[in-house]
């Protein structure tokens, strides 16, 4: 973890001894009244409670103080603010003066509404930095802890949270309150969160603070988050690494991935959604399980909380419907999972009990006999759970036949509870019933489609496999280049800098006349390439500033004149034109792109993939977050399609993969050494030659 990142221990927030409600109300149904009820009636809170309302009076046996200044206490742990937006700064200032440690601002109407709101949030942030009081929110739904119960929230649903069954040890962090409340109501299907933090606009405390707290919380085994934006990528990565070290999977739903979604996220919580491809790369690199929707989050969280992190690749489908079995097999294949091969002993044991017309290979189809003979399920399921070739038993329940289905499910659960295999029931009927409620009650939260079930198995398996290979990034080796490097660099300057870091370029020389270019070409040897050298022109091919495969002096002279004419036609100032670069042609290799840019959220991100003039069309690029060790860089490379072309194939030689990885490491060190002022470094193409011959940077840009 980045040692420079600091997290609050949140002890005073999560275990307060005193709470003040500013905006408490005697009117039933108002947010100020519900908040007080949640604290005094629906929480197990025995600490001091102070209520503030400018009208004065009394509520639930406690006095209503007319202002924060009248509260007869100093050093209050938490203040809950239900005040108009225009009063927020004054109220926060009063709280800070009374020594409040944490202020939860429920009120909305700030940055999500525009520039004026952003200005107020800047004042809040400055107040927090100046006074040391931490601010939670604004525009948030507060905090819900259910073991023990503490509701610092205005939600009327808090009274029902955690009442329907045993809690799972799952923590939840969401920016918005609506999606968080939707997930909390997943307890109706058996997914019961024990902690929920709704962080809102995150003017001070952010999602990373609460992910980090949950990573260290002894009552949490699994963490889920719904994020509209990531304001500080460094802190998020540090929190994700803390969860990983603690052995707690982190499941993330990052919304705002489309252009429309990004705009919506900004209008709601004024968050920076970030480049989604970068989010993907960072999540994957740091062990975050990314999901696409709320139902998937519930399915994956439920599965992992019940069976733990394990490889669930080999699936046995167990059904009383032939069609459901075939459909299940289709979905297993589509998810990249495998239909388990059942052992001979397993099949023989099932054959002792199953009807002669049952299908006892995978998928196992007991036909409707299983509905009229519930014991059949128990007798045939037992050997499946003992089969060493099976990781998970998937059971599609196609229809609700009331008592028959309940009896069938009850017998299956007797085996599943004591078996060593994961058991995944899929409730496919639109009609609920006693069998469905039995699954929920017994802690086997059903999944509601075969597609979702196999996707959850895929997510769980992928994470289990990644745990065996991924690690936290090694510290990058920084080469310490000169701080006097002029930016942006010309191609010649960029290549010289790369050469200092061990990434070689082809033979080349600059020329200012056609005859000089021809002479340099004869010295270097044909064929050659010519490229425009002009101040401020970094992407030369776009204006006709590149000529390739020139085979004699006359072609070089013609190309020189053509390149300069193209530059003038594209209005390149004459005083900016420095001539051309005459370069050795390197053609026998695989053209790659290696680039690094400074992402607005996560900082340095390296991209590797197919290069050359078709780079945008190919769109074959993978990314990783820097700093990163060689193993992380190699995993990024292997995600590209072009990586396969580096191996020998049908008589073609293998390319120098090791030299490519060396170049990636050296470029990363160079970029990090150049510091914050450098925004991007790109080599395209970087030609990977035959094994043992290295790589050559044909073009380079540093901005």
């Amino acid at each position: 973890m980045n040692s420079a990142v600091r997290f609050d221990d949140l002890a005073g927030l999560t275990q307060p001894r005193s709470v003040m409600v500013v905006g408490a109300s005697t009117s039933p149904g108002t947010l100020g009244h519900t908040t007080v009820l949640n604290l005094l009636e629906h929480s197990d809170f025995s600490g001091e409670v102070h209520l503030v309302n400018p009208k004065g009076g009394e509520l639930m046996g406690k006095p209503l103080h007319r202002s924060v200044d009248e509260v007869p206490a100093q050093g209050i742990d938490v203040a809950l603010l239900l005040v108009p937006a225009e009063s927020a700064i004054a109220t926060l200032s009063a709280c800070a003066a009374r020594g409040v440690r944490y202020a939860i601002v429920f009120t909305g109407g700030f940055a999500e509404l525009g520039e004026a709101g952003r200005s107020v949030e800047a004042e809040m942030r400055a107040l927090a930095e100046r006074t040391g009081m931490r601010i939670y929110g604004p525009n948030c739904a507060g905090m819900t802890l259910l073991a023990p119960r503490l509701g610092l929230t205005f939600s009327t649903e808090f009274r029902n949270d955690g009442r329907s069954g045993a809690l799972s040890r799952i923590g939840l962090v969401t920016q918005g309150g609506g999606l968080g409340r939707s997930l909390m109501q997943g307890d109706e299907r058996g997914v019961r969160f024990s902690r929920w933090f709704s962080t809102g606009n995150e003017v001070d405390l952010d999602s990373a603070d609460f992910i980090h707290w949950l990573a260290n919380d002894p009552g949490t085994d699994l963490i889920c988050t719904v994020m509209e934006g990531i304001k500080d990528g460094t802190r998020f990565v540090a929190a994700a690494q803390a969860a990983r070290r603690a052995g707690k999977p982190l499941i993330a739903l990052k919304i705002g991935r489309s252009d429309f979604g990004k705009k919506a996220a900004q209008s709601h919580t004024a968050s920076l959604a970030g480049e989604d491809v970068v989010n993907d790369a960072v999540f994957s690199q740091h062990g975050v399980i990314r999901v696409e929707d709320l139902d998937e989050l519930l399915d994956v969280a439920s599965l992992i909380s019940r069976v733990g992190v394990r490889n669930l690749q080999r699936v046995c489908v167990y059904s009383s419907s032939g069609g459901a079995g075939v459909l299940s097999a289709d979905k297993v294949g589509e998810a990249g999972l495998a239909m388990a091969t059942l052992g001979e002993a397993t099949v023989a044991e099932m054959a002792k009990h199953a009807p002669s017309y049952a299908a006892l290979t995978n998928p196992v189809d007991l036909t409707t006999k299983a509905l009229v003979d519930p014991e059949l399920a128990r007798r045939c399921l037992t050997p499946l759970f003992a089969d060493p070739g099976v990781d998970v038993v998937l059971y599609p329940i196609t229809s609700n036949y009331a008592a028959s289905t309940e009896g069938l499910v009850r017998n299956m659960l007797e085996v599943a509870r004591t078996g060593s295999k994961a058991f995944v029931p899929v409730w496919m009927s639109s009609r609920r019933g006693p069998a469905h409620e039995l699954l929920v009650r017994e802690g086997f939260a059903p999944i509601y489609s075969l597609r979702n079930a196999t996707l959850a198995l895929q997510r769980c398996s992928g994470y289990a496999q990644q745990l065996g290979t991924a690690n936290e990034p090694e510290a990058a080796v920084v080469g310490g280049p000169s701080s006097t490097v002029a930016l942006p660099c010309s191609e010649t300057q960029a290549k010289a800098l790369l050469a200092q870091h061990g990434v070689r370029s082809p033979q080349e020389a600059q020329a200012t006349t056609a005859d000089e270019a021809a002479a340099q070409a004869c010295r270097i040897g044909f064929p050659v390439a010519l490229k425009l050298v002009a101040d401020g022109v970094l992407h030369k091919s776009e204006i006709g500033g590149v000529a390739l495969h020139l085979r004699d002096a006359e072609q070089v002279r013609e190309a020189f004149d053509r390149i300069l004419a193209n530059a003038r036609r594209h209005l390149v100032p004459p005083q900016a034109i420095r001539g051309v670069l005459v370069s050795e042609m390197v053609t026998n290799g695989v053209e790659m792109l290696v680039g690094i840019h400074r992402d607005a959220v996560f900082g340095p991100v390296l991209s590797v993939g197919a290069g050359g003039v078709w780079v945008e069309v190919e769109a074959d690029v993978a990314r990783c977050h820097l700093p990163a060790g060689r193993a992380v860089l190699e995993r990024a490379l292997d995600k590209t399609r072009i990586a396969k072309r580096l191996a020998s194939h049908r008589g073609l030689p293998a390319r120098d993969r090791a030299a490519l990885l060396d170049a990636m490491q050296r470029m990363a060190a160079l970029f990090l050494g150049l510091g914050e002022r450098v925004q991007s470094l790109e080599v395209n193409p970087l030609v990977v030659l035959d094994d043992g011959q290295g790589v050559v940077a044909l073009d380079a840009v540093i901005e």
Side-chain angles (χ1 to χ4, degrees):
M1 185 181 75
N2 188 334
S3 59
V5 177
R6 294 287 182 267
F7 291 101
D8 194 308
D9 66 10
L10 303 181
L13 176 66
T14 57
Q15 300 176 20
R17 294 166 297 177
S18 54
V19 176
M20 175 170 61
V21 182
V22 185
S25 173
T26 58
S27 301
T30 61
L31 299 185
H33 189 266
T34 302
T35 301
V36 175
L37 284 179
N38 286 339
L39 181 60
L40 294 180
E41 287 194 357
H42 305 305
S43 295
D44 300 325
F45 182 67
S46 57
E48 297 179 7
V49 175
H50 306 279
L51 306 180
V52 177
N53 186 298
K55 296 180 181 179
E58 183 181 283
L59 176 59
M60 299 181 69
K62 293 187 177 294
L64 289 169
H65 304 285
R66 295 182 182 275
S67 69
V68 172
D69 294 336
E70 289 186 11
V71 174
Q74 283 279 352
I76 294 171
D77 286 324
V78 183
L80 309 180
L81 273 60
L82 300 109
V83 298
E86 57 269 21
S87 304
I89 292 295
T91 307
L92 285 169
S93 297
C95 288
R98 303 294 289 178
V100 170
R101 295 181 61 192
Y102 297 91
I104 301 180
V105 184
F106 295 130
T107 314
F110 297 98
E112 70 273 14
L113 297 186
E115 186 57 41
R118 284 191 286 273
S119 177
V120 176
E121 285 194 6
E123 289 186 62
M124 290 184 183
R125 193 174 298 109
L127 175 65
E129 292 173 354
R130 184 173 65 252
T131 65
M133 179 180 71
R134 306 305 306 269
I135 299 177
Y136 180 140
N139 186 30
C140 73
M143 182 182 82
T144 295
L145 304 180
L146 298 177
R149 291 185 68 84
L150 176 63
L152 302 184
T153 176
F154 56 77
S155 174
T156 56
E157 285 300 302
F158 171 69
R159 68 192 68 189
N160 300 319
D161 288 336
R163 303 295 193 190
S164 60
L167 293 171
S168 302
R169 294 164 59 89
I170 309 175
L172 176 63
V173 182
T174 69
Q175 284 181 262
L179 294 183
R181 173 49 59 190
S182 176
L183 289 168
M184 289 297 288
Q185 292 181 347
D187 60 1
E188 295 295 323
R189 57 187 283 185
V191 188
R192 301 181 177 99
F193 298 92
S194 59
R195 286 101 166 79
W196 172 33
F197 301 93
S198 169
T199 60
N201 290 13
E202 299 187 348
V203 71
D204 178 23
L205 293 171
D206 65 8
S207 296
D209 287 288
F210 298 102
I211 292 170
H212 184 269
W213 183 85
L214 289 166
N216 293 282
D217 173 32
T220 299
D221 294 333
L222 174 65
I223 306 168
C224 298
T225 182
V226 179
M227 315 184 79
E228 298 177 23
I230 301 173
K231 291 195 172 181
D232 190 326
T234 301
R235 287 174 57 78
F236 174 79
V237 167
Q241 291 174 348
R244 185 170 195 132
R245 284 194 304 274
K248 300 181 181 183
L250 173 60
I251 304 170
L253 170 58
K254 171 64 178 69
I255 62 177
R257 63 189 309 167
S258 65
D259 289 340
F260 177 81
K262 290 177 186 178
K263 294 174 183 177
Q266 288 177 336
S267 67
H268 182 42
T269 56
S271 297
L272 179 63
E275 290 186 58
D276 199 59
V277 290
V278 173
N279 294 330
D280 255 345
V282 172
F283 287 1
S284 175
Q285 182 175 335
H286 296 290
V288 180
I289 304 171
R290 185 169 191 178
V291 296
E292 307 297 333
D293 209 341
L294 296 182
D295 60 343
E296 187 186 348
L297 187 148
L298 289 170
D299 293 336
V300 176
S302 173
L303 180 62
I304 293 179
S305 68
R306 181 161 55 81
V307 307
V309 175
R310 60 167 93 175
N311 197 330
L312 302 174
Q313 285 277 326
R314 299 174 300 174
V315 182
C316 176
V317 177
Y318 183 91
S319 177
S320 58
S321 164
V326 174
L327 181 58
S328 299
D330 288 343
K331 297 305 174 186
V332 166
E334 289 171 12
L337 306 170
M339 292 292 283
T341 300
L342 303 183
E344 293 181 6
T346 300
V347 176
E349 182 61 27
M350 287 193 297
K352 295 178 183 179
H353 313 288
S356 59
Y357 47 84
L360 300 182
T361 55
N362 194 9
V364 176
D365 176 15
L366 299 181
T367 75
T368 54
K369 176 70 172 174
L371 294 175
V372 298
D373 182 6
E375 279 291 310
L376 180 61
R378 182 182 59 78
R379 293 192 295 267
C380 289
L381 193 61
T382 299
L384 289 179
F385 271 87
D387 193 315
V390 173
D391 295 326
V392 56
V393 176
L394 182 72
Y395 181 63
I397 305 170
T398 57
S399 307
N400 175 26
Y401 289 104
S404 296
T405 306
E406 181 182 10
L408 182 65
V409 168
R410 190 177 302 279
N411 278 280
M412 295 180 74
L413 290 182
E414 286 184 13
V415 179
R417 275 194 295 263
T418 58
S420 60
K421 312 293 183 188
F423 177 63
V424 179
V426 183
W427 192 272
M428 299 173 66
S429 173
S430 297
R431 180 174 296 171
R432 304 292 188 256
H436 177 274
E437 300 312 311
L438 176 62
L439 288 168
V440 171
R441 189 167 60 251
E442 293 296 319
F444 287 83
I447 298 177
Y448 295 118
S449 77
L450 289 167
R451 179 184 60 247
N452 288 4
T454 53
L455 181 56
L457 293 173
Q458 179 196 68
R459 299 289 193 209
C460 187
S461 296
Y463 181 72
Q465 292 167 359
Q466 187 189 44
L467 284 182
T469 58
N471 50 16
E472 291 188 16
E474 306 158 19
V477 178
V478 179
S482 170
S483 60
T484 60
V485 173
L487 295 175
C489 287
S490 69
E491 178 183 348
T492 302
Q493 293 169 324
K495 285 179 175 177
L497 201 52
L498 285 164
Q500 294 175 24
H501 284 72
V503 181
R504 75 179 179 94
S505 301
Q507 294 185 63
E508 53 193 20
Q510 193 164 327
T512 57
T513 68
D515 287 339
E516 185 182 358
Q520 293 289 6
C522 291
R523 181 185 62 80
I524 291 171
F526 294 99
V528 297
L530 262 59
K531 289 180 278 188
L532 174 69
V533 179
D535 297 341
V537 179
L538 299 178
H539 301 288
K540 299 170 284 294
S541 61
E542 295 179 4
I543 64 168
V546 178
L548 304 175
H549 304 290
L550 305 175
R551 299 191 175 279
D552 56 41
E554 185 59 31
Q555 287 186 359
V556 169
R557 292 187 183 92
E558 292 175 357
F560 182 95
D561 293 339
R562 186 169 62 253
I563 286 173
L564 265 62
N566 287 339
R568 289 190 292 270
R569 188 167 66 254
H570 284 84
L571 305 180
V572 177
Q575 64 272 21
I577 299 174
R578 307 297 180 184
V580 301
L581 195 65
V582 184
S583 178
E584 165 195 5
M585 280 295 303
V586 179
T587 58
N588 183 28
V590 176
E591 291 190 345
M592 303 287 293
L593 161 77
V594 178
I596 305 168
H597 79 282
R598 195 172 301 281
D599 181 71
V601 175
F602 290 106
V605 174
L606 181 143
S607 301
V608 60
V613 296
W614 298 100
V615 60
E616 292 88 0
V617 176
E618 293 287 342
D620 178 23
V621 177
R623 299 163 180 83
C624 69
H625 183 227
L626 297 178
R630 191 179 182 92
V632 174
L633 296 175
E634 189 163 19
R635 281 195 292 274
L637 173 61
D638 285 339
K639 290 178 181 177
T640 64
R641 298 186 301 276
I642 199 170
K644 296 178 181 178
R645 292 183 56 196
L646 301 177
S648 61
H649 180 67
R650 293 191 176 183
L652 294 175
R655 308 299 184 172
D656 203 335
R657 178 187 171 97
L660 171 59
L661 289 165
D662 288 342
M664 291 165 65
Q665 284 187 291
R666 290 165 180 163
M667 289 175 61
L670 169 60
F671 185 89
L672 295 172
L674 287 169
E676 295 286 333
R677 64 200 185 96
V678 176
Q679 297 304 307
S680 67
L681 184 163
E682 180 181 299
V683 175
N684 179 35
L686 180 69
V687 178
V688 186
L689 303 175
D690 291 353
D691 196 20
Q693 296 184 17
V695 298
V696 183
L698 298 192
D699 199 356
V701 175
I702 301 177
E703 298 181 275

